Amino acid sequence: MMDNSLQRAQVYQILALNDEMLKNGHISRDEHDFVRRLQVKKLTGLHGRGTMEVQSKNLT
């Protein structure tokens, strides 16, 4: 089983890659938002708190 901090680091990497893929036109805004929602939900669970504010970059 993966360490909690390693799992969080992977989620942050996925979010960063997701932003770059949108910025470079490789995925649509809808695809970007879908991945972001899933990863933020996972990250919220890993932090063990209610909800978590995530700063999003306006890449449009």
Side-chain angles (χ1 to χ4, degrees), residues 6-36:
L6 178 59
Q7 288 178 316
R8 286 189 314 229
Q10 286 183 328
V11 170
Y12 285 122
Q13 285 181 328
I14 291 168
L15 289 170
L17 178 61
N18 190 43
D19 286 346
E20 287 300 312
M21 289 178 69
L22 176 66
K23 185 174 148 184
N24 292 315
H26 299 294
I27 59 174
S28 70
R29 170 58 76 178
D30 287 342
E31 291 167 321
H32 172 270
D33 292 348
F34 175 73
V35 170
R36 178 167 283 285

Side-chain angles (χ1 to χ4, degrees), residues 38-49:
L38 291 177
Q39 295 305 313
V40 168
K41 184 176 180 180
K42 184 187 293 185
L43 194 56
T44 300
L46 290 171
H47 279 283
R49 297 189 184 107

